[in-house]
Amino acid sequence: MDDNKLYKALLKSQSERRQVENDRGEAKVEENFRKERPYAGSDRDKPNWTRVETNDNEHPPTVYDSSVSLSLIGNPKPWSREQLRERKIIYSGMADKEVMDAYRELRIQLRNRAGDGNFIVMFSSLGKGHSGLLTAYNLAAAFALDSHTSALLVDCDPYGKELSSLVSSPMTSGVTDFVADRSLKIQSILYPSGVERLTVIPAGTQASSAVELFSAVRMRELITELKARYPDRCIVLNTPPFQENTEARILERFADQIVFGVPFGEVTGEVIEDSVDALGSDKFSGLIFQE
């Protein structure tokens, strides 16, 4: 083979090798990005491209890297262990290991059921007038304890007032305000919780029109946008009691999985069965018994 033919053969070989690498999704040297770190126990290895929450509007990141993006989730006023214990918020190393292990088991079961990617869990209490917010908050906190995962608690119970006592930063606008006012941006309703890697969105101030607002197109746009921001995020929707409010039935459409809370001594087996039947969906994932 003369030099000219050898040179052309080498060029063809290099071109074919690059094509194979592109087909495999392998990164080129000049692209210089790191692959997404998968969930613990997951075998996902494909990088995800998405936006992350940041105050740098001029130079937003374009490549998703969980080790970088998760560090951007601010927590300016972290709760101390004493403050977490006072508020009955779970944390790693807490004295009541049984409670901590129960939330870890919930996290494992919900994640296994969801498979790869992020997902939305709706939590609703079956008790009459019984708020499930603390349970929903701790469920989100359980996901946030995983260093490779972020969590977002979206409080969609406009009648509850407990969230402000569980969050270390003052909150103003929330879900209903965002849906009602198109001038509001998503960043204006996101608040650091005091727990690392856990962000919260309050219900807002428009309680009287919550049913209509939760049914609006802008509500669907909000949930879609929130779910797209992080590929390794778990979103927990806290809703009013399922048996007493229309809001929970409306919000069910946004959930990938649904968990009911059962207050101790308040709910019969018949009520549980009726609630699951009324749901009429394969999204039902289980029960959490609340003290």
Side-chain angles (χ1 to χ4, degrees):
M1 181 180 294
D2 59 33
D3 291 344
N4 188 44
K5 289 183 178 180
L6 178 60
Y7 177 69
K8 289 181 179 179
L10 287 171
L11 288 179
K12 182 179 180 181
S13 176
Q14 291 175 351
S15 176
E16 290 175 347
R17 187 171 65 252
R18 282 196 296 269
Q19 183 61 45
V20 170
E21 290 174 351
N22 288 336
D23 292 341
R24 288 177 179 174
E26 294 178 1
K28 299 176 183 177
V29 174
E30 59 268 24
E31 288 175 340
N32 191 28
F33 68 80
R34 297 163 60 188
K35 291 185 178 181
E36 174 200 356
R37 295 170 65 185
Y39 286 136
S42 170
D43 59 356
R44 291 186 297 124
D45 59 359
K46 294 182 179 179
N48 286 275
W49 299 70
T50 187
R51 285 173 290 175
V52 299
E53 293 152 13
T54 173
N55 293 325
D56 188 355
N57 295 321
E58 295 183 1
H59 305 286
T62 56
V63 179
Y64 182 83
D65 182 342
S66 63
S67 64
V68 174
S69 63
L70 294 183
S71 67
L72 294 176
I73 301 176
N75 189 26
K77 297 180 179 179
W79 291 127
S80 67
R81 288 197 170 196
E82 291 74 19
Q83 290 171 321
L84 291 170
R85 186 165 54 250
E86 289 172 0
R87 290 164 176 79
K88 298 182 179 180
I89 299 172
I90 63 171
Y91 58 92
S92 182
M94 61 187 290
D96 196 338
K97 186 176 182 297
E98 186 176 350
V99 171
M100 185 73 256
D101 286 346
Y103 276 103
R104 284 175 176 147
E105 182 63 22
L106 282 168
R107 180 181 69 195
I108 291 170
Q109 294 297 331
L110 291 171
R111 182 172 286 166
N112 287 345
R113 182 178 172 88
D116 291 342
N118 56 11
F119 57 98
I120 298 176
V121 177
M122 186 185 98
F123 179 80
S124 184
S125 176
L126 296 182
K128 292 185 178 181
H130 190 284
S131 172
L133 179 61
L134 179 59
T135 304
Y137 188 104
N138 278 330
L139 182 58
F143 282 97
L145 284 172
D146 185 342
S147 61
H148 295 166
T149 308
S150 65
L152 173 66
L153 173 66
V154 184
D155 186 12
C156 294
D157 184 356
Y159 313 109
K161 306 297 180 184
E162 296 177 58
L163 186 60
S164 59
S165 65
L166 299 175
V167 176
S168 62
S169 300
M171 300 177 294
T172 52
S173 302
V175 175
T176 54
D177 303 300
F178 176 86
V179 177
D181 184 356
R182 284 198 166 269
S183 68
L184 288 179
K185 297 184 179 300
I186 290 181
Q187 286 79 1
S188 66
I189 61 172
L190 291 165
Y191 301 91
S193 64
V195 174
E196 191 174 4
R197 292 181 297 277
L198 173 58
T199 303
V200 299
I201 298 180
T205 61
Q206 312 289 324
S208 61
S209 54
V211 172
E212 289 73 24
L213 292 172
F214 290 156
S215 303
V217 173
R218 185 161 162 84
M219 179 68 183
R220 184 173 68 246
E221 294 172 348
L222 170 63
I223 298 298
T224 301
E225 174 71 10
L226 292 174
K227 192 174 182 182
R229 283 178 169 242
Y230 285 90
D232 55 1
R233 160 181 278 173
C234 172
I235 300 175
V236 177
L237 297 183
N238 177 60
T239 73
F242 186 79
Q243 287 282 341
E244 295 184 321
N245 297 271
T246 306
E247 289 89 344
R249 308 291 181 91
I250 295 172
L251 293 164
E252 177 268 332
R253 73 186 70 176
F254 302 121
D256 299 304
Q257 301 187 58
I258 297 172
V259 176
F260 287 140
V262 181
F264 180 77
E266 295 184 24
V267 178
T268 64
E270 184 179 359
V271 170
I272 296 174
E273 185 176 354
D274 289 345
S275 299
V276 174
D277 289 342
L279 188 62
S281 170
D282 59 359
K283 295 179 180 181
F284 175 67
S285 295
L287 306 170
I288 298 179
F289 291 89
Q290 305 166 274
E291 293 184 355

